[in-house]
Amino acid sequence: MPQDRDTGPDAARAAAHAGIERLMDTLLPSLIAKLATLNVGELEVREGDWQVRLRHPMAAGQDFGRRATDRSGQRAHAGHEAVGAPAPARALASGVVAGATTAASNGTLPALSPVGPGRTADGPPARDPGPGVPVPRGPIATSPAVGIFQPGSAAVAGARVKAGERLGAVDMLGIPQDVVAPADGIVASILVEGGTAVEYGQELVGIEATAGSEAR
Amino acid sequence: MFSKILIANRGEIALRILRACRTMGIEAVVAYSEADRDSLAVQLADEAICIGPSDARRSYLSVPAIISAAVVTGCDAIHPGYGFLSEDETFAEVVRAHDLTFIGPPPEVLDRFASKEGTRRLLGGYGLPTIPGSVGMLRDDEHALAEADRIGYPVLIKPSAGGGGKGMRMVRTPRELESSLRVCRSEAKSAFGDDALYLEKWLDDTRHVEVQVAVDRYGLGVQFGERDCSVQRRHQKILEEGPTTALSPAARAELCERAIHAVVAAGYENVGTLEFLVDAEGKAYFIEINCRIQVEHGVTEMLTGIDLVAMQIRIAAGEPLGMTQADVQPRGHAIEFRINAEDPAHDFRPGAGTVERYHAPGGPGIRMDSHLFPGYEVPPFYDSLLGKLIAWGPDRATAIERGRAALDELVVDGIVTNLEIHKALISSETFLEGRMTTNLLDRVGSAAFLAAAARP
């Protein structure tokens, strides 16, 4: 909408709208394309007052299905609570979650509203993260028990691991259950933060299998 | 009252407990094994958590997995259902140690009633007629023969450490007793690691009658009448009904009164069932107590209108019973048919498979408690119970008619079920005349039973 004046609240709002338009129409699509080609898990971009964080699903604990552990994960996450009320997260068609994040949120976006383990709000049970989101490639180390995930020293992106190597443990009522690498390879992403509650079989660490190794 | 309950069971009872929580406005989390990921309770739950693989020892029987699940989901109580850990006093103890409430009797009560033999002595001391048996464990063959003589043949040799038929033999003469003792000892040793045996009087042609009770934390107890569970196959119930046709109304009332007085005096707490064997003369003998909700609890619910699972939860939360014996007014007659994934034509061989079509009957007095749905893959790892069809009527004849119509309407396609045996039972003279005994099916043989039913 054309403005007569280029200062004042109306002008500021118009500028914000224009900025968002630029983000959605131009910047975001090219960023997503770039993210796919780069070997990074996360990309943050500022455009004016807006900040957009793009996260590749392999790099984030994003789980578009409802797990009981989402809520408890937040409970176990006492140290990561955002200051002030975080803006509600909305999944966009491209699978990117955007929103104003506060500096104190440490990059932890609020969990999506609950639905069911591995399921979306209105669809049949699905094993993958959700529509529009690429399924994690490669072998994945899953939780051997229901409890609290404790990543070990080998659980860092880029670390070279061998099949059977201990990546960490899940503390089940004080009894540590080892999480092991399912194949030789490089740790690509930690899907769940340490201290988070996980269920049996939950995906914890994504491995990029190296050439010649056996995939899971 | 609890704010969140972990349902540590599966199949139809998990759904039953979920429904009770819903009606009470209590949040519930369904704990499930990998094999039950697509089960109905998990689908309908607001929250569900996978606790382990299909192997029950690492899921439904895993104390740390269950308690860990309750802790990480913020539950304050655990409902164990039936079977699995529902009567395990160690489990109940560990639940309490983690500041959670076990929905059932407290650990010390479970402990008090843990031994079958001990419970008979305990409740016998409080006025219940108990099945005659040996005093203590059998020291040696001489002791066994002396005890058998005192009790009177036939006697049943039973292992102290476990059930399921292992180490059990019925003998009619001293010679049979002598030769069987050796066999029973070694069977018990290998099955339970303990070869201690005792003797129990064996009654031919008995009826199985049980009394439903509830006692709150403050010592107030109420009985909800009895159920007749005489129709069994190899000691497994397949059809239950109430009231029983084995006893006169006066005898029924007396049995139920004795039962509730004995359990209250013995310090029982929460919902439970006392099982009796009734002989041909109508004499009842107490055999054991089940300190949990039972599969056939729905029969009593249909007769009394009371929600027994909700009652378990309320008692465990410390609420008073909130009713007196006068408030319990059973009405009419109810029959439950256990629908199992078993093949009556092949010795009730359990089966698995996918339920292709499923339709539950309805109408006046019909209740279907089942976790089935079209497309459901019945896992092969657990018991074969698919659901319970309960028919209520103002009298036994109407309940039977409604049951027959409901069995005809019920559709479970894609897997083999025992539906045919129920249709045969409900048209058999023995059943219609109310004369079933616990060994009916085993004695006649199910094949013969089915064949008789097929004859016009």
Side-chain angles (χ1 to χ4, degrees), chain A residues 66 68 71-72 127 146 199-200, chain B residues 45-47 49-50 65 68 72:
Chain A
R66 173 194 61 186
R71 294 196 203 155
S72 52
R127 299 282 179 270
V146 50
E199 61 180 7
Y200 176 85
Chain B
D46 291 310
E47 261 190 88
I49 185 161
C50 185
S68 179
V72 303

Side-chain angles (χ1 to χ4, degrees), chain B residues 224-225 242-243 252 299-306 327-335 365 391-396 399 402:
Chain B
F224 300 96
R252 283 176 357 217
V299 170
T300 300
E301 291 185 332
M302 292 291 266
L303 292 168
T304 60
I306 283 161
D327 296 319
V328 180
Q329 299 180 357
R331 205 170 72 83
H333 199 97
I335 305 171
W392 178 92
D395 50 56
R396 192 169 189 262
R402 288 177 176 175

Side-chain angles (χ1 to χ4, degrees), chain A residues 6 13 16 20 23 48 76 80 82 87-88 93 104-105 110 113 126 129 134 139 141 167 173-174 187:
Chain A
D6 48 15
R13 209 182 305 125
I20 293 170
L23 266 177
H80 291 274
S105 70
S113 54
L167 299 174
L173 227 53
V187 174

Side-chain angles (χ1 to χ4, degrees), chain B residues 10-13 15 19 36 38-41 43-44 338-341 351-361 368-379 383-389 410-419:
Chain B
R10 59 171 306 279
E12 67 89 19
I13 197 65
L15 186 54
R19 286 170 169 162
D36 287 324
D38 295 324
S39 68
L40 196 54
Q43 283 186 53
L44 297 178
R338 292 200 194 186
I339 312 299
N340 295 328
T354 304
V355 175
E356 275 147 30
R357 273 181 69 213
Y358 173 66
H359 166 76
M368 183 79 197
D369 276 20
S370 173
H371 57 294
L372 296 185
F373 58 90
Y376 175 56
E377 271 186 54
V378 179
D383 68 39
S384 60
L385 183 64
L386 299 174
K388 298 132 41 175
L389 170 54
L410 174 66
V411 175
V412 184
D413 281 351
I415 51 170
V416 175
T417 68
N418 63 347
L419 205 45

Side-chain angles (χ1 to χ4, degrees), chain A residues 9 18 20 22 29 40-41 54 56 60 68 74 81 87 91 93 101 111 137 143 149 172 178 184 186 188 194 209:
Chain A
I20 293 170
R22 214 169 24 251
V40 296
L54 290 166
H56 188 286
Q74 292 190 302
E81 263 154 57
T101 59
R137 308 174 293 265
S143 176
F149 178 46
M172 176 172 72
D178 281 347
D184 292 351
I186 300 167

Side-chain angles (χ1 to χ4, degrees), chain A residues 5 32 44 46 54 62 65 85 94 105 131-132 166 177 183 196 205 210:
Chain A
R5 307 168 64 108
I32 290 167
E44 192 177 303
R46 272 174 215 283
L54 290 166
Q62 278 189 352
S94 57
S105 70
R166 191 180 170 281
Q177 312 285 311
T196 310
V205 179
T210 44

Side-chain angles (χ1 to χ4, degrees), chain B residues 171-244:
Chain B
V171 296
R172 296 188 181 273
T173 67
R175 187 176 309 161
E176 272 180 34
L177 177 64
E178 270 178 304
S179 55
S180 298
L181 282 170
R182 245 171 302 281
V183 176
C184 289
R185 273 198 202 96
S186 72
E187 256 182 35
K189 185 81 184 179
S190 66
F192 318 113
D194 179 357
D195 67 357
L197 303 172
Y198 67 103
L199 298 178
E200 204 178 86
K201 182 155 186 64
W202 171 263
L203 303 171
D204 282 319
D205 292 338
T206 55
R207 303 286 292 265
H208 175 122
V209 177
E210 57 188 36
V211 180
Q212 180 72 63
V213 300
V215 186
D216 66 19
R217 196 178 287 184
Y218 314 99
L220 183 68
V222 159
Q223 47 89 357
F224 300 96
E226 81 290 350
R227 294 183 292 260
D228 188 315
C229 310
S230 302
V231 183
Q232 300 177 6
R233 196 195 72 85
R234 297 201 191 150
H235 310 287
Q236 306 240 301
K237 300 166 185 173
I238 61 169
L239 183 156
E240 305 97 347
E241 64 178 307
T244 180

